[in-house]
Amino acid sequence: MTTMIKECLLRSQQPRCCASSLSFAAAKGSRKRASRNTNVFKGTIGIRRRMGTTRAKSAPTTDDDDDDDDDDDDDSQKKRRGVVEPSSVTLVLLAGGVGKRMGANMPKQYLPLLDVPIAVYSLRKFATMEEVGEIVVVCNEDYDEVFTKEKIEKPISIARPGAERQDSVFNGISKARKEAKLLAIHDSARPLTDLDDARRCFEDGAKHGAAVLAVKCKATIKQANEDGSIDKTLDRNLLWEMQTPQVIEPNLLKEGFQFVKENGLEVTDDVSVVEHLGKRVQITEGSYYNIKVTTPEDMFIAERLLNEEPKLRCV
């Protein structure tokens, strides 16, 4: 497949940007968000570009007689540099959706993609990351064996889905180890995640408290009135399409869920709960390959990309 054909395949995803989770973002600007109960929250969104990023170098260490101060300083330095220690991340793999748009006789995440269930790609991939210490799979009991029979070197635990996505995420993070420094929420219908992108997102989450993979929106987005007429055209330069993983510090995510619950709010992605707290969410620029497989057309594109890009397979 030529580069031109790949670009055509990626452009075929463009119209779905309107239906995806979109976010206005400015590198250093503040953001206001009104919830359903009309409260207004302030937060900031930063952006880490995909190209030209380098991993921070370790700062030189010095001797100190006070061990406690050394530990505190070391933790602070690691946070500033976005250091993610081995086994410090709990991956929460969401695999409880129904997937009606696929029109199949089973949820889309269990359909075979090159003879492997879609959800298993993410399980196997993230299990190879040294940063990931455990994987919590959120799924219906009928599909437990899809995951438990996999021979991976990371411990797996199972949680049950809730009525809404936010309920499923809460059930998943409730199973996480207390030692986890970061919680990474990932849609099992995204089998093409580049682990280098995921690792950068982990680092941004460690540094800022919350981070999300995202790509710049390519489509022109219109805001409409209730009668279907166009109200205005939104500035495409400020629009980003949210992906997963979405990486958040455990205490911050739990605080956000408590706030959402107390205020009767509904969120469609995980970093939204952090936005409602008025805290910063860092955008880690990802790849257009990281599509969410929701339609038969997506299956066709995913198969082609897996055949042409071996590093996306990792199974």
Side-chain angles (χ1 to χ4, degrees):
M1 180 182 299
T2 65
T3 301
M4 183 179 297
I5 294 175
K6 290 183 186 177
E7 292 175 352
C8 290
L9 286 174
L10 295 177
R11 281 198 295 271
S12 70
Q13 295 300 304
Q14 177 173 320
R16 201 172 295 120
C17 193
C18 299
S20 300
S21 176
L22 299 175
S23 181
F24 290 99
K28 296 183 179 179
S30 64
R31 177 183 181 188
K32 294 183 178 180
R33 180 186 178 94
S35 69
R36 292 189 303 173
N37 63 356
T38 71
N39 290 329
V40 177
F41 310 97
K42 296 180 180 179
T44 59
I45 294 181
I47 301 169
R48 180 182 181 184
R49 299 294 180 182
R50 190 166 194 261
M51 302 301 294
T53 57
T54 57
R55 196 167 298 195
K57 296 181 179 179
S58 299
T61 59
T62 58
D63 293 333
D64 196 316
D65 293 333
D66 191 335
D67 291 340
D68 290 337
D69 287 345
D70 277 351
D71 291 341
D72 291 341
D73 290 345
D74 187 52
D75 288 343
S76 297
Q77 288 184 18
K78 286 180 179 179
K79 184 173 180 62
R80 285 196 299 269
R81 290 185 278 121
V83 174
V84 183
E85 297 177 338
S87 300
S88 64
V89 178
T90 291
L91 180 80
V92 178
L93 185 62
L94 300 180
V98 177
K100 294 179 179 179
R101 280 179 288 180
M102 184 65 74
N105 60 356
M106 67 175 67
K108 60 180 180 293
Q109 61 269 27
Y110 301 111
L111 292 173
L113 178 61
L114 298 183
D115 299 323
V116 177
I118 290 174
V120 172
Y121 281 87
S122 296
L123 181 75
R124 294 178 181 176
K125 274 188 178 185
F126 283 97
T128 68
M129 298 185 72
E130 68 171 358
E131 296 90 344
V132 174
E134 66 171 342
I135 298 176
V136 178
V137 178
V138 182
C139 67
N140 291 302
E141 59 183 339
D142 292 342
Y143 297 99
D144 286 357
E145 191 178 358
V146 172
F147 305 99
T148 57
K149 72 179 182 181
E150 286 293 314
K151 293 179 172 57
I152 62 174
E153 296 182 356
K154 301 295 169 71
I156 297 178
S157 57
I158 303 291
R160 298 302 176 211
E164 304 292 341
R165 177 195 170 93
Q166 65 196 63
D167 303 315
S168 296
V169 173
F170 183 81
N171 293 346
I173 66 174
S174 298
K175 292 273 190 175
R177 297 181 303 177
K178 293 181 180 179
E179 298 82 8
K181 299 291 183 64
L182 292 172
L183 300 171
I185 319 301
H186 187 62
D187 289 329
S188 62
R190 293 187 186 271
L192 306 181
T193 306
D194 187 320
L195 293 186
D196 288 336
D197 290 342
R199 184 168 287 109
R200 291 188 301 111
C201 193
F202 290 175
E203 292 169 353
D204 284 342
K207 184 175 182 179
H208 301 287
V212 54
L213 272 187
V215 291
K216 290 187 69 67
C217 188
K218 296 184 288 185
T220 297
I221 306 298
K222 305 282 187 179
Q223 181 171 308
N225 299 306
E226 290 185 1
D227 63 1
S229 62
I230 292 176
D231 177 41
K232 61 182 177 181
T233 302
L234 303 181
D235 186 351
R236 186 169 57 188
N237 293 322
L238 300 178
L239 291 173
W240 289 77
E241 182 179 353
M242 300 296 102
Q243 300 180 343
T244 64
Q246 302 193 8
V247 183
I248 307 169
E249 291 180 344
N251 290 338
L252 183 59
L253 185 56
K254 291 174 182 177
E255 181 186 355
F257 270 116
Q258 184 66 28
F259 182 89
V260 165
K261 182 178 179 180
E262 290 176 351
N263 290 273
L265 304 175
E266 183 177 335
V267 295
T268 56
D269 75 342
D270 314 301
V271 294
S272 292
V273 303
V274 180
E275 294 174 52
H276 279 300
L277 292 175
K279 301 295 180 66
R280 173 174 179 153
V281 177
Q282 181 75 14
I283 286 178
T284 306
E285 188 169 22
S287 166
Y288 291 100
Y289 285 2
N290 189 21
I291 63 173
K292 187 173 184 179
V293 179
T294 57
T295 66
E297 293 84 0
D298 295 331
M299 289 286 287
F300 170 78
I301 293 170
E303 287 179 0
R304 292 297 184 92
L305 290 174
L306 284 170
N307 282 325
E308 294 297 323
E309 298 290 342
K311 76 171 185 175
L312 296 176
R313 185 176 296 191
C314 193
V315 295

